[in-house]
Amino acid sequence: MPRPGATELMYLAQVIATGRLMHQAGENRSFTGRAQARLSQLMGVEHAILVNSGTSALIVALKAAGIGPGDEVLVPAYTWVSTASAVLFVGAVPILVEIDESLTIDPDDLERKITRFSKAVVPVHMLNLVCDMERITDIAQRYNLVIVEDACQAAGAIYKGRRVGSIGHIGVFSFNHYKNLTSGEGGAVITRDSSLFRRATIYYDIGSFSKCYSDANLDFVGCNHRVSELTSAVLFAQLGKLDKHLARLRKRRRKNIDRFLATSGARLSPHHDPQSAVGLTFIFDSPEEARDYASRHPAITRISDINRHNYVSWLPVLQHCRADPRTDPFRSAGREIAYTRDACTKTLDILAKTCVIA
C-alpha cells in the first residue's frame, strides 16, 4: 500500500477544520464526492460509491444485482471469507468453485457447478493476480449470470487493458490496511450500469429516499454502509498515489522473478495477463518442496500456511452458523446444500504447492 503521509494529514486537517465529519457524498466539493469522482475516472466507469468496508461493498453489489433467497452464487474456494459471507447476508447461498494454478477461479469448474438456481458469479482477483475474465464473461453471458467482480485485493491492477473491477457488471474494492489503497477501513462499489448504480445508492444509504439522487420507481428499505469524510479524505490522497504504487510492484515482481525463481526449482505460476502483472507466485511439484523452500527463506510463504483465505477455515459458513436460525438462507433455499472439507481438493493441493513473496 502507499504509505500515508503529509497529503493525508493535510486533507484530514481540512475536514476537521470544517467541523463536518460525516458522509457528504451529495456535495461535489466534499472529499467523499471528489474521491468517488477520482475513483470513477481511474477505473474507467461512470459510477462509484464509497462504503465503509469491502464486505459492505460486496453486500451492496449483490443487493443491487437483485440476489436473494433461493439464489446460488458461485465463489472461489480461495478468498477471504467475506466473499462467501456476503452471499449469506443477502439471503442467498454460496457455491464453492475450485481455483486453478493462477490462484483464481477455475472457469472449467465454474461451468460444471452452474445449476438452474445460479444467479451470479464472484471472480476474485487474489494477491493482485487477475482472473481469466474473458472466459468468465463468456460463461456468464451464456448462463445469464451477473458478474460481481471482487477486486478487493487488486485495486488498480490491469487485465488486458482494463482495470479489474470495471469488467463485470459491478465491481468492489476494499481499502483496509493490507490493500493497494488504504484508508484504514473502507470500500467501494463501481459500475457502468445506471440501474445497478441506482439500486446500490438506495441500499447503501438508509436515507436515500429523502435525497435528490433517489429514484422513486426503485425505492426500497436500505441500510447504512456509508463512510465518513475522514475516511474519504485519506482515500482521496491515496488515489493520487495508486499508479506509482503499482509501478513499484511491477518492478519488484521482475526483480523477484530473477531473485527467487532461478534458485527455487519451482516454475512461475500462470498469469492471465503477464504483460501487466503485479502479483507474483510460483509453484512447486509437491507440497513438501514448497514447505521446505519456504522454511529456508524468511521472505517466502507457502500459500496454504496462510490458512485464513482457505475455505476449510470458514467454519461459520461450512457449518451453516447463523445468529438467528429463522433467517437461515439454507433453509430458504429449500434444498440440501452441504459443505465438506474435501469439497475442493484441487484448490487445497494447489495452495499447498504454491509460494508467495511476503
Side-chain angles (χ1 to χ4, degrees), residues 12 45 118 242 260 273 292 295 304 356:
L12 284 170
V45 298
S118 302
L242 177 60
F260 289 103
D273 185 2
D292 178 65
S295 70
S304 62
V356 63

Side-chain angles (χ1 to χ4, degrees), residues 302-313:
R302 190 172 64 143
I303 296 288
S304 62
D305 295 331
I306 313 172
N307 196 45
R308 60 185 176 272
H309 294 97
N310 187 328
Y311 76 94
V312 298
S313 71

Side-chain angles (χ1 to χ4, degrees), residues 280-295:
L280 170 64
T281 61
F282 43 98
I283 188 165
F284 290 82
D285 290 332
S286 71
E288 292 74 24
E289 290 177 272
R291 183 175 58 239
D292 178 65
Y293 190 75
S295 70

Side-chain angles (χ1 to χ4, degrees), residues 55-278:
T55 303
S56 290
L58 281 162
I59 294 168
V60 171
L62 290 163
K63 280 288 189 180
I67 306 302
D71 295 339
E72 293 179 358
V73 178
L74 299 130
V75 304
Y78 173 56
T79 180
W80 176 237
V81 67
S82 290
T83 308
S85 297
V87 176
L88 295 172
F89 290 147
V90 301
V93 292
I95 302 300
L96 300 179
V97 180
E98 300 271 22
I99 62 167
D100 57 27
E101 290 187 351
S102 71
L103 296 190
T104 64
I105 196 166
D106 180 353
D108 292 328
D109 196 49
L110 167 63
E111 190 159 14
R112 282 192 293 268
K113 298 286 177 64
I114 293 172
T115 72
R116 64 188 179 91
F117 302 104
S118 302
K119 293 296 187 294
V121 55
V122 187
V124 182
H125 307 287
M126 287 291 291
L127 302 175
N128 278 316
L129 304 168
V130 298
C131 299
D132 186 349
M133 292 305 297
E134 283 188 353
R135 287 198 61 196
I136 292 166
T137 300
D138 174 66
I139 292 168
Q141 288 174 344
R142 286 191 281 112
Y143 292 94
N144 196 30
L145 302 177
V146 176
I147 300 174
V148 178
E149 193 178 354
D150 184 337
C152 287
Q153 290 201 9
I158 293 172
Y159 171 81
K160 299 188 177 181
R162 299 174 67 181
R163 301 274 192 177
V164 297
S166 72
I167 303 167
H169 296 94
I170 191 165
V172 302
F173 300 104
S174 169
F175 305 127
N176 76 18
H177 181 72
Y178 301 101
K179 303 302 193 294
N180 289 348
L181 298 167
T182 182
S183 48
E185 288 287 356
V189 179
I190 65 170
T191 184
R192 291 185 171 85
D193 188 306
S194 295
S195 177
L196 290 173
F197 172 66
R198 286 194 298 272
R199 285 181 58 88
T201 297
I202 291 165
Y203 187 72
Y204 97 108
D205 182 354
I206 196 167
S208 63
F209 68 91
S210 66
K211 300 174 183 177
C212 62
Y213 52 78
S214 175
D215 184 327
N217 295 322
L218 287 173
D219 276 352
F220 51 86
V221 176
C223 198
N224 180 9
H225 296 282
R226 301 189 304 256
V227 295
S228 72
E229 273 290 279
L230 295 168
T231 299
S232 297
V234 175
L235 183 61
F236 185 67
Q238 288 272 301
L239 284 164
K241 305 175 181 181
L242 177 60
D243 283 332
K244 288 184 178 180
H245 173 64
L246 293 172
R248 287 194 295 271
L249 290 181
R250 291 188 185 97
K251 183 177 180 180
R252 177 177 180 249
R253 182 181 190 273
R254 291 191 293 269
K255 287 184 177 179
N256 282 332
I257 288 175
D258 295 335
R259 179 184 176 190
F260 289 103
L261 201 60
T263 61
S264 67
R267 55 189 169 85
L268 196 64
S269 299
H271 193 286
H272 296 300
D273 185 2
Q275 298 305 312
S276 304
V278 177

Side-chain angles (χ1 to χ4, degrees), residues 305-327:
D305 295 331
I306 313 172
N307 196 45
R308 60 185 176 272
H309 294 97
N310 187 328
Y311 76 94
V312 298
S313 71
W314 307 345
L315 295 183
V317 175
L318 301 184
Q319 297 175 6
H320 297 193
C321 298
R322 300 292 291 172
D324 185 341
R326 293 172 297 179
T327 64

